[in-house]
Amino acid sequence: MKLSCLSFPQVAAAVTILCAVNWAVLQFFFLPSLSEEQRRHIYPAWVHSPYIYAMCFAFTACAFWFVFRYRGNPATYEKRITLFGMGLATMGGLFMLTVLRATWHI
C-alpha cells in the first residue's frame, strides 16, 4: 500500500486507534505494576521539563501549517499525509500523558 492511497480521515482514524491502544496498554497493564516512585520517574513533572511541551506544540503547529497552508514544490501529497499523521500523533501523545497524569496523580 502506498501513502498516496490514504486519505486524511483514514490517517486520523488510524492515529486515534493507535493512541487509544497505547493508552489502554499503559493504563491497565504497565502502570499498575509499577510503584508510585517508579511512575514519577517515568513521567516527570511538566514544570521541570517545559521545553518538551513547547517543542511538541511548535512541531504540531509547523506540521499543520505545512499540511493545510503551504503550497510550495516540496508539499507532495505523501509528505502532507506523513506530517498530518505525525502532528496528530504528537497531539495524541500529549493528551495521553495528561490523562495518565490526572488518573494516576503523577
Side-chain angles (χ1 to χ4, degrees):
M1 177 181 248
K2 293 177 151 183
L3 282 176
S4 59
C5 298
L6 296 174
S7 66
F8 286 114
Q10 289 173 331
V11 172
V15 168
T16 303
I17 290 169
L18 285 173
C19 285
V21 168
N22 187 16
W23 170 80
V25 167
L26 285 172
Q27 179 75 19
F28 299 113
F29 297 109
F30 184 65
L31 288 176
S33 64
L34 295 178
S35 69
E36 186 175 340
E37 186 65 27
Q38 289 172 324
R39 277 185 246 136
R40 283 204 175 116
H41 287 293
I42 289 176
Y43 300 114
W46 73 272
V47 175
H48 297 126
S49 57
Y51 298 111
I52 295 171
Y53 297 98
M55 287 187 300
C56 288
F57 286 123
F59 172 75
T60 302
C62 290
F64 286 155
W65 170 81
F66 184 84
V67 169
F68 296 115
R69 303 291 288 171
Y70 183 70
R71 297 293 176 236
N73 286 337
T76 63
Y77 187 74
E78 290 82 8
K79 289 179 185 176
R80 289 175 59 217
I81 284 287
T82 302
L83 276 174
F84 179 71
M86 290 170 65
L88 282 180
T90 303
M91 286 179 21
L94 288 174
F95 181 70
M96 182 190 66
L97 284 175
T98 303
V99 170
L100 287 174
R101 284 186 174 151
T103 303
W104 290 93
H105 305 291
I106 298 173

